[in-house]
Amino acid sequence: MINTLFSHKRYSFMSSDIFEMIPDDVSSFIEENIIPIRLKKRQVLFYEGTIPSGVYILKKGKIKKYATGLNGKEHIFYLIRENGILGHHNLLCKEKYSHSAACLTDCLFHLIPKEIFFSIIENNQEILHSLLKNISHEFGVFINNSKILAQHSVRERTALSILRLDEFFEEKGCFNLSRKDHSNLVGTSIESLIRVLHDFKKEQIIEIEKNTIIIKDTKKIITAANFR
């Protein structure tokens, strides 16, 4: 429904799976060299300012990517779900992590050590092409996020966040996210977010059940977002 009514791709968290189309021998090589890592909800995968040791493929769960300001407040700028890749940006440019990544749910990762990762992309143009496509999409989303924060109201940003989160969680018109994480994604205080959500509830755009938001009127939430 949202796809047909709202041109959302330039705001979407849906990155491509870079290992979707790879030869069997490469897939076997990766499987032989991965290191499985399991983390619980709210645990941190890596911190801003630390040195990358490889790239992570998220096999199960949901992840937030965020930067922390001088006041300690998080700014969530991207979300990752199953088969997404993390840690490649800073590994490729040989810099420390420019952001942190933490679990929104219990997660399973496959760590590909950096030596293995570099050998894979050096010898496989299709994977390298998919990786560049992934990075380009995330950069485009980041640029649009910057524009949104500078030019749009909290009400408009909240409406857009509901559309994006509905797509990301794939729960058919509802999603569950803490008010703290939701406000850090919108770029506002928890109190301001709650006020807007209750306005949407009064307008019969959404229903609220604890941290779960249920979209009741997709067209109205698109209108409230005021994005073209």
Side-chain angles (χ1 to χ4, degrees):
M1 179 67 170
I2 290 176
N3 292 356
T4 59
L5 295 175
F6 179 68
S7 178
H8 66 285
K9 287 187 176 180
R10 63 185 183 275
Y11 310 110
S12 174
F13 297 122
M14 307 306 292
S15 299
S16 60
D17 178 0
I18 70 166
F19 296 110
E20 184 178 13
M21 302 291 291
I22 60 173
D24 290 341
D25 59 329
V26 178
S27 180
S28 298
F29 179 67
I30 293 173
E31 289 295 325
E32 291 169 1
N33 289 279
I34 60 169
I35 301 171
I37 298 173
R38 294 183 183 273
L39 295 179
K40 295 291 186 180
K41 182 178 180 179
R42 298 188 183 89
Q43 284 189 289
V44 177
L45 177 64
F46 56 77
Y47 284 98
E48 182 177 347
T50 57
I51 299 172
S53 59
V55 300
Y56 300 87
I57 306 300
L58 179 60
K59 303 303 293 183
K60 181 181 178 181
K62 304 286 189 296
I63 284 287
K64 62 179 179 181
K65 295 170 68 172
Y66 64 95
T68 305
L70 295 176
N71 59 359
K73 184 176 175 60
E74 294 178 6
H75 169 54
I76 299 174
F77 61 89
Y78 208 80
L79 302 178
I80 304 287
R81 68 180 191 186
E82 289 82 358
N83 296 316
I85 183 172
L86 300 100
H88 53 300
H89 300 80
N90 298 109
L91 186 64
L92 288 170
C93 63
K94 299 181 180 179
E95 295 179 354
K96 294 179 180 179
Y97 285 123
S98 56
H99 59 278
S100 303
C103 301
L104 293 172
T105 64
D106 291 352
C107 293
L108 168 64
F109 304 91
H110 285 174
L111 169 62
I112 303 176
K114 61 182 179 181
E115 296 83 3
I116 302 299
F117 176 71
F118 282 127
S119 70
I120 291 169
I121 62 173
E122 284 172 3
N123 297 299
N124 294 273
Q125 290 299 311
E126 288 185 1
I127 293 178
L128 182 58
H129 179 266
S130 295
L131 188 66
L132 292 174
K133 182 179 178 181
N134 177 285
I135 292 172
S136 298
H137 173 74
E138 285 196 29
F139 180 73
V141 172
F142 179 79
I143 293 299
N144 280 300
N145 281 344
S146 300
K147 180 181 68 176
I148 290 164
L149 286 171
Q151 299 179 0
H152 291 272
S153 68
V154 173
R155 177 183 169 90
E156 291 168 336
R157 300 201 308 268
T158 301
L160 180 62
S161 76
I162 291 172
L163 294 170
R164 300 168 84 190
L165 290 168
D166 177 54
E167 178 199 36
F168 177 75
F169 282 100
E170 288 189 316
E171 296 293 337
K172 295 183 180 179
C174 69
F175 61 87
N176 185 295
L177 186 68
S178 73
R179 294 292 179 262
K180 180 180 179 182
D181 282 334
H182 197 167
S183 65
N184 289 339
L185 177 65
V186 173
T188 191
S189 66
I190 295 176
E191 295 77 15
S192 294
L193 173 71
I194 290 173
R195 282 195 295 271
V196 173
L197 292 177
H198 279 284
D199 286 345
F200 287 161
K201 183 177 179 179
K202 288 180 182 178
E203 296 166 29
Q204 299 184 338
I205 296 174
I206 63 171
E207 287 291 338
I208 302 172
E209 297 179 3
K210 294 185 178 180
N211 283 334
T212 299
I213 293 175
I214 304 164
I215 299 176
K216 304 299 290 185
D217 194 319
T218 303
K219 289 184 179 180
K220 283 185 178 180
I221 202 71
I222 290 172
T223 298
N226 193 30
F227 284 82
R228 298 293 183 268

